[in-house]
Amino acid sequence: MAADWLGSLVSINCGPTLGVYQGEVSSVNQTSQTISLRQPFHNGVKCPVPEVTFSAMDIKDLKILNIRGGGIGNGFTQTVSFGGQGGRGGGGGGRTAGAPAGSAPMAVPGRADPSGMGDGHASPQQQQQQQCSKSYGEKHMMEMAGQNKGSFRRRHNSWSSSSRGGNQATTPKRNGVRNGGKNKDDECFGDGVDDDLDEDFDFEGNLALFDKAAVFSQIDTSSRSRGTPEKQQTPARYRHDENILEAKPVTYRQIAVPQPGTQEYCTDTGLVVPSVTYELHKRLLSVAEKHGLSLERRLEMTGVCASQMALTLLGGPNRLTPKNVHQRPTVVLLCGPHVQGAQGISCGRHLANHEVEVVLFLPNFVKMLEAITSELSLFNKTGGKQVSSVKDLPTSPVDLVISCLDSHENATLREQPWYRAAADWANQNRAPVLSIDPPVSGREAAVESKWALSLGLPLPLSESVGRVYLCDIGVPRQVFQEVGIKYHSPFGCKFVIPLHSP
């Protein structure tokens, strides 16, 4: 008899302390009065253990949710006696309404049972035993039992939707019949709504009804009848650093020179920067010196800008950090006895102050400019190395070479041995070269550089100097106007900007 209940889905109420369990009956032991559930749910939550065993002493109520094989009750939820012995509460742990302790399980007749009250007039005891159960784990239990999901879509509590049909008239109602013979659950959730949901939707058949060629032909015909609309103007697209609300259009030619050079450059923002002749450049510096921008100030500004550019080329913050003292970059400066050489010495002083290994090449001369003497005195106080012979220069490749060998005034220096030796060393060394204030086009530099730094306004340079950069040496706007140059600063927030060919 106990084997008949194996595989059935039951709900066991163990009181407010232990709660309610649902699961599939895996074993029933009549001797020890225990029952075990496989894959149990506790208060609607799946238990972490695969099996739970209950004693008849702990069971307050046992409801059969589904009987294996569709046997007794034909899907009714039944309340049966478990047969508890001497249970708590005066009637045993497994008692039912009207069932004495220790009695055998009571068989409740189903709708198809001819011996029962199949006409729907059940006794009060049977009506109580046939009440629906909205248990916590009903949905999970039905899935575990392999039931058809469509039979539970209406959330009926007392019978499966498979029972609808000819036997529906004999189905017991929970709270009677009202509103034209509808059950209260059908009235709430809508009877007949899910009748056609069991059929799969035919996607292929529905797609075959769509005539794509006819639809596109209709669209083309409609477009031709309306006429082709005029091409709309594409709205302007702005960069993240551009102002959307512009009061007036930008004038990209903000610098005009009376004697333009042979070349023009443009900045990253599109501003045109014309080149100037060396005569106009020399006159601009002369007027600036009269207004107080002395040679010492220009040397300092040039040294700061050139050293800042060199530090960026050396790696910037990725290379020059306190934790990277074992890889300090090495820079060689090749300087001549002129103003351009003094600019290189000023740059070397600032590089040495930023923990860069600086080697300064400057030949021994009987007479040198006062600016070179003062700059050299400051450089020697930074700890940098000074050499006067090419033989003392590093034999291994260095990080950067800064060339300040050429002069705008004296072109005969290129014939001297020290100049040729320094140029040959720079060309043989595999380090990149930065030229500061290189000569104008037509006087090719002996050292082929990768970058060139011009001062104030660029000179017309040859392609051998590499990419051209422009640095601000602090010439006021009024000085530009005095020499006939219409000038608006192209530097923006920087002191060194790249120039491009238009």
Side-chain angles (χ1 to χ4, degrees):
M1 184 66 179
D4 296 336
W5 304 98
L6 299 180
S8 301
L9 304 180
V10 299
S11 175
I12 300 177
N13 186 358
C14 298
T17 303
L18 298 179
V20 180
Y21 290 81
Q22 296 90 20
E24 179 183 345
V25 178
S26 59
S27 65
V28 178
N29 193 331
Q30 294 181 344
T31 303
S32 59
Q33 292 292 296
T34 60
I35 182 172
S36 299
L37 300 184
R38 184 188 298 113
Q39 300 180 2
F41 286 80
H42 180 221
N43 293 337
V45 180
K46 189 173 182 180
C47 298
V49 294
E51 189 173 276
V52 179
T53 301
F54 302 88
S55 175
M57 301 288 293
D58 300 325
I59 299 176
K60 301 298 182 183
D61 189 14
L62 188 147
K63 296 181 181 179
I64 300 176
L65 303 177
N66 184 66
I67 298 177
R68 182 186 62 178
I72 299 174
N74 196 16
F76 283 88
T77 301
Q78 306 177 28
T79 305
V80 299
S81 170
F82 187 75
Q85 298 178 356
R88 298 186 299 268
R95 69 180 176 182
T96 63
S103 62
M106 179 180 296
V108 181
R111 293 170 297 170
D113 191 354
S115 63
M117 298 181 181
D119 56 352
H121 301 283
S123 64
Q125 179 180 354
Q126 290 175 336
Q127 290 181 1
Q128 181 179 0
Q129 293 173 350
Q130 295 173 358
Q131 290 180 352
C132 304
S133 170
K134 289 188 178 181
S135 60
Y136 295 98
E138 180 179 359
K139 179 180 178 180
H140 303 282
M141 302 306 301
M142 294 312 167
E143 293 178 357
M144 182 175 63
Q147 296 294 333
N148 189 356
K149 295 181 181 180
S151 62
F152 298 99
R153 285 175 179 166
R154 305 181 198 281
R155 298 174 62 183
H156 288 203
N157 301 323
S158 58
W159 71 91
S160 171
S161 62
S162 61
S163 63
R164 300 177 59 188
N167 297 331
Q168 188 171 0
T170 62
T171 303
K173 302 295 189 295
R174 182 174 181 179
N175 291 325
V177 179
R178 60 181 179 178
N179 295 338
K182 290 186 177 181
N183 182 270
K184 112 175 159 175
D185 291 334
D186 293 337
E187 177 187 354
C188 178
F189 297 104
D191 190 20
V193 175
D194 301 328
D195 290 342
D196 299 331
L197 293 182
D198 292 336
E199 299 181 3
D200 294 336
F201 181 75
D202 188 3
F203 289 96
E204 295 182 358
N206 185 71
L207 184 60
L209 299 177
F210 176 69
D211 191 353
K212 184 169 64 174
V215 172
F216 277 102
S217 176
Q218 183 180 1
I219 293 175
D220 294 339
T221 304
S222 177
S223 300
R224 286 193 296 269
S225 63
R226 292 195 305 266
T228 305
E230 296 183 0
K231 186 178 180 181
Q232 297 181 356
Q233 185 177 2
T234 304
R237 300 176 65 88
Y238 297 93
R239 296 201 312 259
H240 67 281
D241 57 346
E242 289 184 321
N243 186 12
I244 298 177
L245 303 177
E246 294 180 330
K248 57 182 180 179
V250 179
T251 303
Y252 290 100
R253 286 189 174 272
Q254 300 181 356
I255 303 176
V257 296
Q259 300 174 0
T262 58
Q263 291 180 348
E264 282 188 345
Y265 303 92
C266 63
T267 64
D268 291 337
T269 57
L271 297 178
V272 178
V273 180
S275 63
V276 295
T277 60
Y278 177 69
E279 290 74 14
L280 182 59
H281 178 74
K282 183 178 179 181
R283 185 155 60 95
L284 175 65
L285 297 182
S286 177
V287 174
E289 190 169 355
K290 293 180 180 179
H291 286 278
L293 189 62
S294 60
L295 176 61
E296 290 76 11
R297 289 189 175 185
R298 298 203 309 270
L299 292 177
E300 191 67 19
M301 283 295 299
T302 304
V304 170
C305 293
S307 61
Q308 185 178 10
M309 180 178 176
L311 292 173
T312 303
L313 297 176
L314 292 173
N318 298 324
R319 181 78 179 277
L320 300 169
T321 60
K323 298 181 180 179
N324 198 22
V325 294
H326 64 288
Q327 292 182 345
R328 294 174 60 182
T330 302
V331 176
V332 174
L333 287 108
L334 305 178
C335 301
H338 37 66
V339 176
Q340 284 70 31
Q343 294 171 353
I345 299 174
S346 176
C347 174
R349 170 167 55 88
H350 290 290
L351 290 177
N353 289 336
H354 286 266
E355 303 298 327
V356 177
E357 296 287 348
V358 179
V359 179
L360 172 62
F361 169 78
L362 182 65
N364 290 327
F365 294 97
V366 178
K367 185 178 181 180
M368 289 189 298
L369 295 177
E370 183 180 357
I372 294 180
T373 304
S374 59
E375 289 293 336
L376 192 60
S377 176
L378 291 174
F379 173 80
N380 291 330
K381 292 180 174 58
T382 61
K385 181 180 179 181
Q386 179 186 356
V387 297
S388 58
S389 175
V390 177
K391 298 180 181 179
D392 298 330
L393 292 176
T395 57
S396 60
V398 295
D399 294 275
L400 181 65
V401 174
I402 300 178
S403 175
C404 301
L405 295 174
D406 292 291
S407 172
H408 296 291
E409 301 291 342
N410 190 359
T412 59
L413 294 177
R414 305 179 62 179
E415 305 298 331
Q416 298 186 11
W418 63 268
Y419 184 99
R420 293 196 302 268
D424 293 340
W425 179 91
N427 292 327
Q428 293 175 4
N429 196 284
R430 290 179 293 178
V433 179
L434 168 64
S435 297
I436 299 179
D437 197 11
V440 297
S441 178
R443 293 178 51 192
E444 298 297 330
V447 179
E448 185 176 356
S449 60
K450 188 174 183 179
W451 306 282
L453 184 63
S454 295
L455 312 180
L457 286 176
L459 299 173
L461 304 176
S462 62
E463 296 181 356
S464 62
V465 298
R467 188 173 181 180
V468 180
Y469 284 77
L470 185 67
C471 75
D472 185 9
I473 58 175
V475 179
R477 180 185 297 182
Q478 187 176 353
V479 176
F480 284 100
Q481 295 177 356
E482 189 171 339
V483 296
I485 299 176
K486 178 185 176 182
Y487 181 83
H488 287 80
S489 175
F491 293 98
C493 61
K494 300 179 181 180
F495 283 87
V496 179
I497 58 174
L499 297 180
H500 312 278
S501 298

